[in-house]
Amino acid sequence: MSIREENEDPIAKAIEKFQNHPSILKIKEKIRNPKVIEFKPITRVEVEEIISKFDIKKGTSVNSISGKILKEHAPVYYDVITHIVNEGKKTNIFPNRLKYADMNPAFKPGKKNRTDIDNYRNLSVLPYASKIFERDLKKQIQDSLDSILHPNLCGYREGFSAQHALISMLEKWKKQLDKKGFAGAVLMDLSKAFDCINHELLIAKLNSYGFSKNALELLHNYLSNRWQRTKVNNAFSDWSELLVGVPQGSVLGPILFNIYLNDLLWTIEDCCNFADDTTIYACDKDLDTVKRKLENNSKIAIQWFKQNYMKLNSDKCKVLICGRTNQPITIKIGDFNIKEDDCVKLLGVYIDKKLNFDKHVSKLIKRANSKLTVIKRSFKYLTQTKRKMLLNSFVQSQFSYAPLVWMLHSKSLVSKINRVHKSFLSLLYDDTESSFEQLLSKENTFTIHQKNIQKVMIEMFKSKNDIGPKLLKDIFQNSNYKDQY
């Protein structure tokens, strides 16, 4: 390597290297005159607020100060930490001692084979002190880019959820099916998306979004000289340097991932995203048009993933076609012809071709009943408070995930859910004589369906008052009743 290359500014090098990259050109097309984003100094009050919100139950890396100690003795550290963070911003250096992570392999939900390494997700456990610096940077980035990030980018954003991503997409499908048309989707399977992010391309994207030279140098330093080791029980692997990707489990990693992925949603209009789950969809009155759109947009997505150093597992992609079809549809994705499924699992919800969610709700009922059966065995040894905690945690919680997506199901399933709810309350109060209505009154609560209606009203209120995700604006539209009379 020449002396010139050794002394070359890594920020300028990254910007020059990717100045004609399709993602950079797309960002510049969308943001003509970006506002300059500069990191401001942190105050002692802001440090106090960050530490006060620490979840001390979460782990920390080995040989670093625990969250409990840091929180209990925070007044001793306030001024020191404020100085360290501001000195880092002044010199554009993120302290190296805060970059060492212990990797805890976390088994992915829904997987079966615990001996398959691909079924584990690596979560970075970093020093608690690093969270203070990262949370401050994250807040300033969010405040600067929240209005710029695509509304369909639902992962790792305050006020957004998987439920919002699903509702936004499925409501478009339902409208098309009401017109006797068709809707289809390709569920993309990315391999270790967090670990594939190219640091130089990320810096070039941040520059296009308006980050100043000092901000870029600080973020580049945050990503550089980062080391990790795998921890299994009390055994550790050797240290290895993180050359690509962002730390999954860190505070700043998810928002950097969102920024990296944002221009994909500008490239493909009909795209639903939550974290590393990306779904391409299409709606039309003509089935052949839906198929053509899905194949064309899949090509565009595959090209984007290649250009952005991300790996798509084409053979693991899923296809769903909604609407009446006489024969199974096959979609070409990359080098593979993927046959449509009758039902797919997307963001934790089973979606079938008829959009009636019978399979999903049936599974919720089955899981809730199995939990009830297990809890009954030890119930007589528990206090009323612990009984309620157990039942809420393991039974009623089954119906709390994304309810607005599946709540409009058949009446027979409503009855089955009510029977589970009645069993829940009968067990809680040791009362097998009272009716469901009487038990609801005793608990001073409502049915699951009534609670879901309340949640719909809350989302409508948020939409009307512009405090909810913008992607729901088209779903909850204002009606001017005066014009109707």
Side-chain angles (χ1 to χ4, degrees), residues 399-439:
F399 304 99
S400 63
Y401 178 76
L404 305 191
V405 177
W406 52 261
M407 63 175 286
L408 299 177
H409 46 70
S410 64
K411 290 183 179 180
S412 63
L413 288 176
V414 172
S415 299
K416 290 181 180 180
I417 292 175
N418 287 343
R419 284 200 291 272
V420 175
H421 197 182
K422 182 183 178 182
S423 299
F424 169 101
L425 295 173
S426 296
L427 190 59
L428 177 62
Y429 290 104
D430 194 18
D431 179 0
T432 58
E433 301 297 326
S434 297
S435 66
F436 185 36
E437 289 72 21
Q438 290 171 330
L439 289 168

Side-chain angles (χ1 to χ4, degrees), residues 132-144:
I132 301 170
F133 204 152
E134 288 192 58
R135 286 190 189 280
D136 177 51
L137 296 179
K138 177 185 175 183
K139 184 180 184 303
Q140 294 194 45
I141 293 174
Q142 282 180 328
D143 292 344
S144 300

